[in-house]
Amino acid sequence: MSYTGAKNIILASGSPRRLEIMRTHGTEPLVIPADCDETVPPYTDVRNVPMEIAARKAHAVMDRLSREVCFALPEEPVIVAADTIVYQGEIPGRGVIMGKPRDHEDGRKMLTSLRGTHHFVITGVCMIFTSTGEERVFSDLTRVWFKYYTDDELNSYLLTDEAYDKAGAYAVQGTFGRYVERLEGDFENVMGLPWYRIEEELSK
């Protein structure tokens, strides 16, 4: 069965940005947010961190489907789960993983450390093909360079709601995008879903 342009995708995420990316590419998924532990696991390679959390999300939705029949499921659905982290440091190496900021001060610390330098955005994806049980897990990496922004600019931004449900306290497609000097890699990966990689897997 071909999944290209499919209507049979289950998005294991409540992220409006991931849903927007899928819709932009002509896919209207069934959205079933995952409820699972998102604690950062021990790691030797930071790229494995979002992959493991994405796998937890995919399996949480798979388990839910096996217990419940309250969903009008598409034919032979494929579950797509993703997790995105912002990482400051070298790869390989031991740097700093940034998730969503806890509060204003946490967001200020994150964005102060990122200004005028580069960091990595890593999205892990887990796909489960329910018709066969096949599972594919991978990650995509984008390097992002920020311009220098002042403390006043930073504090003004942190008074908005944009920072607080985003890894690294910013949205590349939002108002903070003005401070992105350049990036190396996939823009949609920074938004939270490397669709081109997912399409490659779907078309196989």
Side-chain angles (χ1 to χ4, degrees):
M1 180 177 183
S2 172
Y3 288 89
T4 305
K7 304 293 184 183
N8 50 354
I9 290 177
I10 294 175
L11 175 61
S13 172
S15 164
R17 292 163 298 283
R18 292 183 179 126
L19 179 58
E20 175 189 347
I21 290 171
M22 284 195 173
R23 285 175 169 170
T24 297
H25 292 278
T27 295
E28 185 67 40
L30 172 63
V31 176
I32 306 178
D35 182 12
C36 67
D37 176 19
E38 297 187 32
T39 304
V40 173
Y43 66 93
T44 54
D45 186 329
V46 70
R47 288 167 288 196
N48 292 332
V49 171
M51 291 167 60
E52 179 167 331
I53 297 174
R56 291 178 194 168
K57 293 178 179 180
H59 283 279
V61 170
M62 186 73 170
D63 291 344
R64 186 178 176 188
L65 293 180
S66 68
R67 297 191 311 268
E68 301 177 12
V69 291
C70 58
F71 299 102
L73 294 178
E75 181 185 358
E76 297 185 340
V78 55
I79 298 169
V80 177
D83 186 74
T84 301
I85 61 171
V86 168
Y87 173 78
Q88 189 174 35
E90 296 306 315
I91 299 176
R94 301 293 290 187
V96 177
I97 294 175
M98 300 180 186
K100 298 173 184 178
R102 295 182 299 274
D103 50 31
H104 182 284
E105 180 61 19
D106 197 29
R108 186 189 65 78
K109 288 179 180 177
M110 288 181 185
L111 292 175
T112 297
S113 71
L114 295 176
R115 67 181 169 188
T117 186
H118 77 270
H119 60 277
F120 297 95
V121 178
I122 310 168
T123 298
V125 176
C126 178
M127 302 170 64
I128 299 177
F129 293 80
T130 60
S131 59
T132 63
E134 180 185 359
E135 183 176 328
R136 300 178 194 171
V137 185
F138 57 87
S139 66
D140 199 68
L141 182 149
T142 303
R143 187 185 299 222
V144 182
W145 284 261
F146 277 171
K147 301 174 184 177
Y148 187 89
Y149 35 84
T150 66
D151 287 343
D152 286 344
E153 289 173 318
L154 178 53
N155 287 327
S156 294
Y157 170 72
L158 289 170
L159 291 174
T160 71
D161 294 332
E162 183 177 298
Y164 299 100
D165 66 339
K166 317 289 191 306
Y170 76 93
V172 69
Q173 76 280 10
T175 59
F176 205 79
R178 73 185 71 176
Y179 300 117
V180 175
E181 183 174 71
R182 62 190 174 99
L183 58 83
E184 184 180 281
D186 180 23
F187 180 88
E188 289 181 333
N189 182 58
V190 185
M191 287 180 65
L193 197 69
W195 181 254
Y196 85 98
R197 286 288 309 276
I198 292 170
E199 272 197 319
E200 286 180 359
E201 299 299 326
L202 292 173
S203 63
K204 288 179 182 178

